[in-house]
Amino acid sequence: MLKRVLDKFDLASMKDLVMFWLAKGVSLALAEPFVKQCAETMDWVTTLLSHDDNWHLTLASHLLQNSDRPLEYDEKSTLSSFASQFCERNVRWETLGIFLSAVIRATFDVPFFPSLYTTETGRNELQRSATRLSAYSLEICLSLDCLNDLQLVFQYENSIVNSYVDGDQ
């Protein structure tokens, strides 16, 4: 699924969509403090996307290894120090999931984004594909059986975007 979605929808264009959406002054409800950092992390993820036929396996393995690590924080932690554990080279399945949640929400507020979609059908296809990949990301996180605060934020945002896509608001 990872390969299929990222082959069809350019990751840099999805990042541009999210950044455009954020510039309009909107964001995800609970993940708002992390959305921009998660989107900017996609630039780093792009460096993992090579012309090798197995790039998706390398990326999935990297995400899995990082997601399996506990997030550490205490009363001296800052937002920046917390985010550094799941952004850039520490990108996790949760990071991808929050980013995809932002992509999905952005498609509802941005009806036309030429580098990704120009029709309602194209927009719906991106929404459905990102929703499926987000659901798979969440399943992987849950299967690791190491619940953390970021995962809870991701679960909440995933639930919200699913209600948008499936019409269960």
Side-chain angles (χ1 to χ4, degrees):
M1 185 58 157
L2 182 64
K3 183 173 177 30
R4 189 174 339 146
V5 172
L6 296 182
D7 277 346
K8 181 150 182 87
F9 299 102
D10 181 61
L11 188 60
S13 294
M14 286 192 278
K15 180 213 168 201
D16 291 343
L17 169 65
V18 170
M19 298 306 280
F20 177 76
W21 178 67
L22 290 172
K24 294 174 68 170
V26 291
S27 189
L28 298 176
L30 196 56
E32 180 177 7
F34 311 122
V35 174
K36 184 176 181 186
Q37 292 159 303
C38 290
E40 289 171 344
T41 293
M42 294 308 118
D43 288 335
W44 191 89
V45 170
T46 301
T47 66
L48 292 177
L49 308 180
S50 68
H51 299 291
D52 181 318
D53 287 340
N54 294 320
W55 62 263
H56 59 293
L57 300 175
T58 303
L59 176 57
S61 175
H62 186 83
L63 296 170
L64 186 63
Q65 287 174 358
N66 287 337
S67 289
D68 200 28
R69 293 187 189 128
L71 294 173
E72 297 177 7
Y73 51 92
D74 58 27
E75 67 278 351
K76 295 177 185 171
S77 296
T78 63
L79 181 62
S80 179
S81 66
F82 181 64
S84 71
Q85 297 179 76
F86 58 86
C87 289
E88 301 297 324
R89 67 180 176 8
N90 295 317
V91 62
R92 306 162 68 102
W93 282 108
E94 297 97 317
T95 314
L96 180 63
I98 289 171
F99 171 72
L100 290 169
S101 296
V103 168
I104 297 160
R105 277 287 287 117
T107 63
F108 283 94
D109 294 337
V110 181
F112 181 81
F113 203 79
S115 59
L116 290 172
Y117 54 88
T118 56
T119 65
E120 184 73 21
T121 301
R123 185 173 73 144
N124 289 341
E125 187 175 357
L126 174 56
Q127 288 170 342
R128 294 278 179 211
S129 296
T131 301
R132 278 193 301 274
L133 182 53
S134 181
Y136 287 135
S137 298
L138 183 57
E139 281 185 43
I140 292 167
C141 291
L142 294 174
S143 73
L144 294 174
D145 197 26
C146 53
L147 187 63
N148 61 59
D149 290 347
L150 186 65
Q151 193 179 106
L152 291 172
V153 169
F154 172 31
Q155 284 181 295
Y156 174 81
E157 296 298 356
N158 186 68
S159 173
I160 297 298
V161 296
N162 273 299
S163 69
Y164 269 84
V165 172
D166 296 333
D168 299 333
Q169 292 179 335

